[in-house]
Amino acid sequence: MSFLYPWVLVLIPLVLWLLRRRRSRTSVKVPSVRLWPSKKSGKARFLWLPVALRRLSIILVIVAMARPQAGSTYSLQVAEGIAIQLLVDVSSSMDMSIKGKDGKNRSRLDVAKEMVERFIAGDGDRLKGRPDDLIGFITFARYADTRSPLTSGHEALLQIVRHLEIQNRPNEDGTAYGDALAIAAARLRNPEELMHRKDTQDTDSIKSRVIVLLTDSENNSGAHLPEEAAGLAKKWGCRIYSISLGDSSLDPTGSTQIKSLNAAEKVLEHLSVATGGIFRQACDYESLLSVYEEIDHLERSKISTRSFDRLAEWFWLPLALAAATLLLALTLEATWLRVIP
C-alpha cells in the first residue's frame, strides 16, 4: 500500500489538535465535581461515541485525500522473433556417406538430421537453439513437401526431423529445391498472421525472414526454377542461406579441402547473394556444424524485457468508511443518544 500524496497525512494530527482545542474552549468551568456521581449510568456512558465517530470520519477523509494505492510490478519478455524455413534434401544422393561426429562414415541425411536438430534445440555448446523463433520445415526430392508449417512447437518439429527417410523410389527421386524455395518464400510472406495462434510465443514482430537450404546436387525437377524462387524470396524480404553438402578432396599435406565451386554450387551462391544471405560448402560433420553455427550467430532474436506497474486506486474505501461512520454518528445523535438542550 502506498499513497500518491503522502504529505496530506500530516493534516491528521493537526486536525485532531484543533478539534481538541475547540472542545476545551466550549467547555463549562465548575468549582468542583466532587458532588457529581462518579459513575455514569445508562446512555450517558456512550455519549463519547458520536464525537469519536465524527473524528474518525474526518481522519478517513484525509486518508482518502492522500490517494491510497495498491499495485504490483511485473515483467514481460518480448522477442523480435525470426521466421525460419528449414529446407532439407531427401533425394537418393543424400544416402552417400560422409564423415560423422565420431569420425565414422554416416549417410549425408543422418548427419543433416542431427545438425538440424541441434540447430533447433541447441546443444549447450556451439549452437544456442531457436526457442523464440517460428520455424517451418520442408523436405524435397522430386517433389517439395511441407513437413511442418511455421510454429514455435519445436518438440513436435524435432520428432519430424528425427524420422526423416531417403526418398529413393524412382518415381519420387530427384531434386526440386526450386519448388521448395518458392513454397518457403510464400509461407514467409506474412508470418505475422501466426502471431495470434496459441502455439506461438510472446513475439511482437518478425525481425527477419530466413530460408536455410541444404542440398547436395543441382535442381533437376519441379515447376519453379531456383532463380524464379529467389526472386520471390527477395521480393518478400527473405534471405536465403544455401549449404552445399558435397565431397571433399585432400591437399598435399593430407588435410581435408573443399573443392572449388561447380555449376550447381554457383547457382546456390547466386541465390544467396541476390537475397542478402550467404553460401557455404560442407563436406562432413564438423564443416556442416561450422556453417550452421555461422548462420545461428548471424540470425539471433532480440529479446527485451518490459516492466509494467499495475496500480489500483483505494481512495474509495476510506471515503466510504468515512461516510458510514458519519452517518452512524448522526443516527445515534438523532435517536438513541439524542441530547435534549
Side-chain angles (χ1 to χ4, degrees), residues 28-335:
V28 178
K29 294 182 179 181
V30 295
S32 176
V33 295
R34 291 180 180 178
L35 298 179
W36 291 12
S38 59
K39 293 184 179 180
K40 296 180 181 179
S41 59
K43 300 178 182 179
R45 291 178 298 175
F46 300 98
L47 290 177
W48 61 270
L49 187 57
V51 177
L53 290 174
R54 286 174 178 270
R55 293 184 179 183
L56 179 59
S57 65
I58 294 175
I59 293 174
L60 290 172
V61 169
I62 295 175
V63 172
M65 291 171 59
R67 292 281 296 278
Q69 298 174 331
S72 60
T73 301
Y74 71 98
S75 299
L76 175 67
Q77 278 196 342
V78 181
E80 293 180 355
I82 299 173
I84 304 175
Q85 286 284 0
L86 299 175
L87 280 56
V88 175
D89 191 343
V90 293
S91 62
S92 60
S93 58
M94 290 290 287
D95 201 22
M96 297 178 65
S97 297
I98 58 173
K99 186 181 294 184
K101 181 179 180 179
D102 54 2
K104 298 180 180 179
N105 287 336
R106 299 173 58 192
S107 70
R108 293 175 178 175
L109 182 61
D110 286 340
V111 174
K113 286 163 55 177
E114 182 177 347
M115 201 59 58
V116 169
E117 183 177 346
R118 292 180 64 176
F119 180 76
I120 296 172
D123 57 10
D125 183 17
R126 296 172 63 175
L127 295 174
K128 298 179 180 179
R130 321 294 305 190
D132 300 303
D133 299 329
L134 295 171
I135 300 179
F137 189 52
I138 298 173
T139 60
F140 59 90
R142 180 179 292 273
Y143 308 103
D145 297 315
T146 299
R147 298 299 184 99
S148 172
L150 288 169
T151 180
S152 61
H154 296 169
E155 287 300 322
L157 183 58
L158 292 173
Q159 291 296 326
I160 295 173
V161 173
R162 293 173 187 139
H163 290 86
L164 284 183
E165 294 181 351
I166 297 289
Q167 293 289 351
N168 51 17
R169 289 179 292 183
N171 62 333
E172 293 198 14
D173 195 16
T175 304
Y177 70 74
D179 286 356
L181 285 173
I183 294 173
R187 291 190 175 276
L188 289 173
R189 184 178 183 181
N190 293 308
E192 288 84 357
E193 293 178 357
L194 299 172
M195 305 313 295
H196 67 280
R197 290 176 46 175
K198 294 182 179 180
D199 65 339
T200 58
Q201 303 288 334
D202 293 326
T203 309
D204 265 3
S205 61
I206 296 299
K207 180 183 177 182
S208 60
R209 300 164 175 82
V210 174
I211 300 173
V212 181
L213 168 65
L214 172 65
T215 184
D216 66 348
S217 57
E218 63 180 345
N219 186 82
N220 54 27
S221 302
H224 297 277
L225 294 174
E227 293 82 0
E228 177 188 357
L232 295 175
K234 183 177 181 180
K235 179 181 178 181
W236 294 330
C238 307
R239 288 190 293 276
I240 299 176
Y241 292 84
S242 301
I243 306 171
S244 175
L245 186 59
D247 298 325
S248 63
S249 60
L250 297 177
D251 64 12
T253 64
S255 302
T256 301
Q257 185 180 42
I258 299 176
K259 295 179 179 180
S260 59
L261 300 185
N262 55 37
E265 290 173 332
K266 288 180 180 179
V267 173
L268 292 173
E269 183 183 40
H270 172 72
L271 303 180
S272 298
V273 173
T275 57
I278 60 173
F279 166 76
R280 294 290 184 266
Q281 291 174 300
C283 62
D284 55 17
Y285 179 92
E286 187 59 34
S287 59
L288 186 59
L289 175 58
S290 298
V291 175
Y292 274 99
E293 185 180 11
E294 181 180 6
I295 297 173
D296 186 58
H297 177 73
L298 290 173
E299 298 288 346
R300 295 305 305 176
S301 299
K302 179 181 177 182
I303 302 176
S304 59
T305 302
R306 299 178 182 176
S307 296
F308 300 88
D309 293 323
R310 288 178 174 172
L311 293 176
E313 296 285 352
W314 287 91
F315 68 89
W316 58 269
L317 181 58
L319 200 59
L321 291 175
T325 54
L326 182 60
L327 180 62
L328 179 58
L330 294 175
T331 302
L332 290 174
E333 290 177 342
T335 56

